[in-house]
């Protein structure tokens, strides 16, 4: 029975590697690590393309494949028997791809054993806390971790074979329509060319994340409370919150419950929490965090009944782009509010020095809006004299000089497409 299951998974694997997929921008970075003995951890939200990315990485190479999102495999699992069957099914292989092994009880002990035996492992998982503390200690310096998010704007446009530098007005208009489509509906690969199913797809995906990645994994009993909490967090995206404020607002049983739910939703990559920058760690931990969601499609889908606010949607996209650029929330990416309650959306720290202050504003054509946004940016910039100043807009580009400082105003799409990982 186990052999039949693994044979069936091999058939599925062989079909998948024949499909012509959109290459991800992480590919070249990770491929050079394949021949090393490092364990490769590919993490990210459900349906973002982790398995496809791993298969693309291993295409043309000899590898065995086990998918632990398959209930049959979970029920039939026996660690010695499964390795024997793998030898029979694949005869010889250089890599072992384990898809979502955290669904397996005590999976980390088994994987640690495989690592010690010399297997070259590629592991995917829809949990940012993929390694237990014990396994992380064991493997310190011996694994590479990479996060796969839904498609970026660049990847979406490449997938659609868009012209990045349209010359004719009609081509520019078509290009902006595609950028706007991404702005509203996000980058989940399966719906980029099938927007008619966006609402039902994302509702089903949301339910799957809640049930499979949280309720089942963490044995949550208060399922209705969890749904209520997650839906509320979607409604306040880009807004500051504290555990106490949510506990009171939703009438939940305790602040501890809120803390747990926040952790669960963060670990499954549904939400990100951006702390307020402060030189003192204790004050930073006490300050409100701002909540962001992993894809704008969840926000624009009427399934979640979120009223559109273009400025907030744009801010959410900018946060996601920073994450794709490997900035780490709470380590070198924050928001900031000064003592006069002037706020800047993002501050970027490098080598313990704030190097960039980034404000997000949909449209600064109104002089009052420009005065407000630039005023907040300049007020906060006084605390960070080495910071380069940016305002990311929808479609405005210019430079503003104020108090001997240059403020770079740049459209979101140009900011995204100008970035190179190399």
């Amino acid at each position: 029975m186990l052999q039949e299951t693994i044979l069936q998974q091999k058939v599925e694997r062989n079909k998948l590697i024949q499909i012509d997929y959109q290459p991800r921008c992480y590919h070249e970075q990770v491929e050079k690590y394949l021949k090393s003995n490092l364990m490769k951890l590919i993490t990210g939200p459900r349906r973002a393309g982790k398995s496809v990315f791993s298969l693309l990485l291993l295409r043309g190479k000899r590898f065995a494949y086990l998918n632990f999102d398959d209930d049959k495999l979970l029920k039939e699992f026996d660690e010695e028997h499964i390795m024997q069957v793998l030898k029979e099914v694949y005869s010889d292989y250089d890599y072992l791809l384990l898809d979502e092994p955290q669904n397996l009880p005590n999976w980390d002990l088994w994987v640690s054993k495989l690592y010690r035996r010399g297997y070259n492992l590629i592991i995917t998982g829809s949990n940012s806390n993929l390694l237990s503390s014990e396994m992380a200690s064991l493997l310190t310096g011996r694994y590479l971790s990479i996060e796969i998010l839904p498609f970026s704007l660049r990847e979406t446009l490449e997938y659609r074979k868009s012209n990045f530098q349209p010359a004719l007005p009609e081509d520019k208009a078509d290009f902006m329509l595609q950028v706007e489509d991404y702005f509203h509906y996000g980058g989940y690969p399966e719906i980029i060319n099938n927007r008619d199913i966006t609402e039902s797809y994302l509702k089903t995906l949301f339910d799957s994340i809640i049930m499979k990645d949280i309720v089942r994994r963490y044995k949550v009993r208060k399922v209705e409370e969890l749904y209520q909490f997650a839906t509320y967090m979607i409604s306040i995206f880009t807004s500051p919150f504290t555990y106490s404020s949510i506990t009171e607002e939703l009438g939940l049983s305790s602040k501890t419950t809120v803390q747990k739910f926040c952790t669960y939703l963060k670990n499954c990559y549904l939400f990100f929490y951006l702390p307020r920058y402060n030189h003192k760690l204790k004050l930073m931990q006490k300050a409100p965090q701002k909540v962001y969601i992993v894809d704008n499609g969840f926000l624009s889908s009427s399934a979640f009944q979120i009223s559109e606010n273009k400025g907030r949607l744009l801010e959410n996209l900018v946060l996601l782009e920073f994450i794709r650029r490997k900035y780490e929330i709470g380590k070198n990416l924050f928001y900031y509010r000064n003592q006069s309650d002037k706020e800047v959306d993002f501050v970027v720290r490098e080598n313990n020095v704030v190097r960039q202050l980034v404000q997000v504003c949909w449209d600064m054509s109104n002089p009052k809006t420009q005065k407000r946004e630039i005023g907040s940016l300049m007020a906060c910039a006084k605390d960070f004299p080495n910071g380069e100043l940016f305002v990311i807009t929808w479609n405005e580009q210019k430079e503003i000089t104020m108090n001997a400082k240059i403020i770079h105003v740049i459209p979101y799409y140009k900011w995204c497409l100008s970035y190179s990982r190399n």
Side-chain angles (χ1 to χ4, degrees), residues 232-249:
Y232 175 76
M233 294 300 276
I234 291 177
S235 73
I236 66 166
F237 78 102
T238 75
S239 301
F241 74 94
T242 63
Y243 299 136
S244 297
S245 67
I246 295 181
T247 304
E248 184 177 343
E249 177 72 23

Side-chain angles (χ1 to χ4, degrees), residues 89-143:
V89 171
Y90 288 96
S91 68
D92 196 14
Y93 54 91
D94 300 316
Y95 305 95
L96 176 55
L97 172 56
L98 304 178
D99 207 352
E100 302 287 350
Q102 76 275 3
N103 291 332
L104 189 69
N106 300 317
W107 74 276
D108 51 347
L109 300 177
W110 176 59
V111 168
S112 295
K113 190 183 296 183
L114 293 178
Y115 177 80
R116 291 195 301 271
R117 291 177 178 177
Y119 285 90
N120 197 328
L121 300 172
I122 295 90
I123 297 173
T124 77
S126 51
N127 193 307
S128 62
N129 192 24
L130 193 62
L131 296 179
S132 69
S133 57
E134 294 83 3
M135 187 175 175
S137 299
L138 173 70
L139 297 175
T140 298
R142 298 173 185 170
Y143 66 91

Side-chain angles (χ1 to χ4, degrees), residues 160-201:
R160 289 178 162 173
K161 297 179 172 55
S162 300
N163 179 5
F164 283 24
Q165 296 179 316
L168 299 174
E170 57 267 32
D171 293 335
K172 176 69 181 293
D174 180 67
F175 173 81
M176 289 306 298
L177 283 174
Q178 295 200 47
V179 176
E180 189 170 357
D181 176 86
Y182 177 80
F183 170 82
H184 285 293
Y185 303 114
Y188 270 100
E190 290 173 305
I191 55 173
I192 285 176
N193 284 336
N194 196 4
R195 293 308 197 189
D196 291 342
I197 66 167
T198 296
E199 182 176 323
S200 60
Y201 177 90

